[in-house]
Amino acid sequence: MNLSRNQLIIIGAVLAVIIIVVVIISGFGRRSTQEKAELVFWGIDDQSAFVEGFADFQSANRGITIDYKKIPEADYEQALVDALAAGNGPDVFMFRSSWLGKHGNKVAPFTEEYMTPSRFADLYPQVAEEDFISSDKIYSIPLYIDTLALYYDRDAFDKKGVALPPKTWTELEKMVSLKGVTAALGGYAPLLENAPDIMLALLFQSGADLNVETKSFIQLSSIPGETALSTFLRFKAPKEDAISGFAGGRINILLGYYSSRSLLKAKNPFLNFGVSPLPQLDPNSPVVVADYYGLSVSSKSANKGAAMNLASFLTSDSTAADKYARGANRPPALRSLIERYSDHNEFGVFVKQALIARSWKSPDISQSNSILNEMIKSVLKGSTKENALLKAESDINRLLYTTNK
């Protein structure tokens, strides 16, 4: 068939449009693969947790290399702060959920190209917004979310005739008084390491005025504050390290995070325990607390675009986030993965609780925890609950004032 010149021109134009459309579609959503950068990445996990995610990212970004460094968690914060101050810190690093008030000035907020507040809210539970977003700026994106739950010794429960774990603090108190169940509560750190977290959960559950949104002065010396402290102190303080006591069968109930699981298994591989949601003051308005890490980009990074690209990919791409959760053995943060793992035999309780977790933006969580710990300790040593709450309120408000002035 012979085609006229005009017909050939028309056909050529159509083919050109088709080629352009195919190129645009195939490249949509991908960052430039031509960018070259050497990224330094610090974290507390084994490199194996990120290997697959790194490989997937680099397959689409061949000009970017990643140098990962693991630092033990006990040394991590100080090592990170020192390196960033000296100007030789990482481009990307794991950022704890409680650090925004203390270390937010060391982080470059994500640009809209890599994450927006509205997309963040669609992808992650509310607690991550409370921890990582301030004034509509995103300082970190969660890698996982761990929540405080109840561990119970199945064998001890069976021997003492307890069929089900408690759903409320009242049920737990009755188990202790009527069934002889031993619970790691009512004490303070270091023997009860999570005492400040448990106290914070009770303050949220009681409706104490923590001013989460405004970060202004809090009120603990109130009826809700006294309810929280009284509930906590109804239980007898442990006389040994709570983890060791539970692993050894001397303590039947322990309140801990998913991360406690590996510690328990290391101490007693044959321990027969179960996990249930954190007890509530009001089951109709459940609240828990969380502790976890996200990924942030250093404000001093010379490769912020590449660093944000990597951090966003590892945390918001469902395949990459799932590979991390399985590789690091941590409860996932993405809503889509929370749904997928809601019935998981290990992650289930923890991931579902992420949806009801709350957070308080303390300017310095280590100081706030110390204040709550001292509040508990002072009552056990003879102070009245009223005076202890008033002093804790004053100390925390002084910390807030010093930070915000």
Side-chain angles (χ1 to χ4, degrees):
M1 179 177 63
N2 294 324
L3 299 175
S4 68
R5 180 177 176 179
N6 287 342
Q7 288 175 318
L8 290 172
I9 291 174
I10 293 171
I11 292 173
V14 170
L15 289 174
V17 169
I18 291 172
I19 292 170
I20 291 171
V21 169
V22 170
V23 170
I24 291 174
I25 292 174
S26 64
F28 182 75
R30 293 190 178 186
R31 308 298 180 201
S32 171
T33 59
Q34 304 302 314
E35 184 176 9
K36 292 186 180 297
E38 296 180 3
L39 298 179
V40 176
F41 187 134
W42 282 17
I44 61 171
D45 290 313
D46 291 335
Q47 185 168 351
S48 58
F50 294 102
V51 165
E52 290 187 73
F54 286 171
D56 291 345
F57 176 79
Q58 289 176 302
S59 68
N61 299 272
R62 299 187 181 279
I64 298 178
T65 61
I66 306 167
D67 179 15
Y68 182 78
K69 181 179 181 180
K70 177 190 175 181
I71 298 176
E73 187 170 12
D75 306 321
Y76 180 69
E77 181 179 8
Q78 192 59 56
L80 179 63
V81 170
D82 290 345
L84 292 172
N88 55 10
D91 299 285
V92 183
F93 52 89
M94 291 180 68
F95 188 88
R96 198 165 188 171
S97 56
S98 56
W99 283 358
L100 186 59
K102 190 177 181 181
H103 299 308
N105 60 349
K106 303 172 180 66
V107 173
F110 283 83
T111 62
E112 291 189 354
E113 181 182 3
Y114 301 102
M115 184 60 66
T116 63
S118 60
R119 182 166 179 251
F120 191 104
D122 289 339
L123 291 174
Y124 306 103
Q126 179 183 344
V127 68
E129 295 181 66
E130 295 173 351
D131 286 325
F132 291 150
I133 298 181
S134 180
S135 300
D136 287 329
K137 293 181 180 179
I138 301 168
Y139 289 85
S140 193
I141 308 177
L143 268 171
Y144 69 96
I145 296 179
D146 199 355
T147 57
L148 194 67
L150 184 145
Y151 287 80
Y152 61 97
D153 186 327
R154 293 183 187 275
D155 293 336
F157 268 40
D158 289 347
K159 289 177 183 177
K160 296 179 180 183
V162 180
L164 296 170
K167 294 181 180 179
T168 67
W169 294 101
T170 301
E171 288 180 9
L172 176 52
E173 187 179 3
K174 288 180 180 178
M175 283 183 185
V176 171
S177 61
L178 301 179
K179 297 287 188 178
V181 170
T182 54
L185 281 163
Y188 50 88
L191 293 184
L192 187 57
E193 182 182 6
N194 291 325
D197 301 63
I198 299 168
M199 192 68 241
L200 184 61
L202 278 164
L203 287 168
F204 273 120
Q205 290 181 14
S206 69
D209 188 0
L210 298 179
N211 285 317
V212 174
E213 301 300 331
T214 62
K215 295 182 288 183
S216 59
F217 296 150
I218 69 168
Q219 186 176 8
L220 299 182
S221 56
S222 59
I223 292 176
E226 188 166 347
T227 296
L229 184 56
S230 296
T231 300
F232 183 84
L233 292 173
R234 288 194 188 111
F235 303 91
K236 189 176 180 180
K239 295 182 178 180
E240 62 176 319
D241 171 68
I243 291 285
S244 297
F246 186 82
R250 297 175 295 280
I251 293 175
N252 308 145
I253 286 178
L254 172 77
L255 301 187
Y257 292 93
Y258 181 79
S259 57
S260 303
R261 188 183 189 91
S262 60
L263 298 175
L264 294 172
K265 287 291 188 181
K267 287 181 177 292
N268 185 354
F270 306 104
L271 185 64
N272 180 22
F273 64 85
V275 180
S276 65
L278 187 72
Q280 300 292 319
L281 286 174
D282 180 1
N284 295 318
S285 301
V287 183
V288 302
V289 292
D291 184 26
Y292 56 100
Y293 281 82
L295 288 184
S296 293
V297 173
S298 170
S299 60
K300 295 183 178 180
S301 172
N303 299 294
K304 290 185 180 67
M308 290 181 186
N309 189 8
L310 173 62
S312 176
F313 173 80
L314 292 174
T315 52
S316 63
D317 180 272
S318 61
T319 301
D322 188 33
K323 288 177 178 178
Y324 168 79
R326 289 184 285 107
N329 191 29
R330 296 190 185 276
L334 279 174
R335 288 181 180 271
S336 59
L337 295 181
I338 288 173
E339 178 69 22
R340 185 186 305 176
Y341 283 98
S342 62
D343 294 322
H344 191 272
N345 61 340
E346 292 185 5
F347 289 161
V349 169
F350 301 93
V351 296
K352 283 188 286 191
Q353 286 194 148
L355 299 173
I356 57 170
R358 296 300 308 278
S359 175
W360 174 54
K361 289 180 179 177
S362 168
D364 188 326
I365 195 64
S366 59
Q367 290 191 50
S368 297
N369 282 348
S370 178
I371 292 169
L372 291 176
N373 203 53
E374 285 301 315
M375 177 183 73
I376 297 164
K377 187 176 180 179
S378 68
V379 176
L380 293 176
K381 291 186 176 295
S383 175
T384 65
K385 290 192 286 289
E386 292 80 7
N387 287 340
L389 285 163
L390 191 61
K391 186 178 186 306
E393 177 185 295
S394 175
D395 289 345
I396 291 176
N397 283 335
R398 188 180 300 112
L399 179 63
L400 284 165
Y401 175 77
T402 302
T403 304
N404 294 334
K405 70 177 182 179

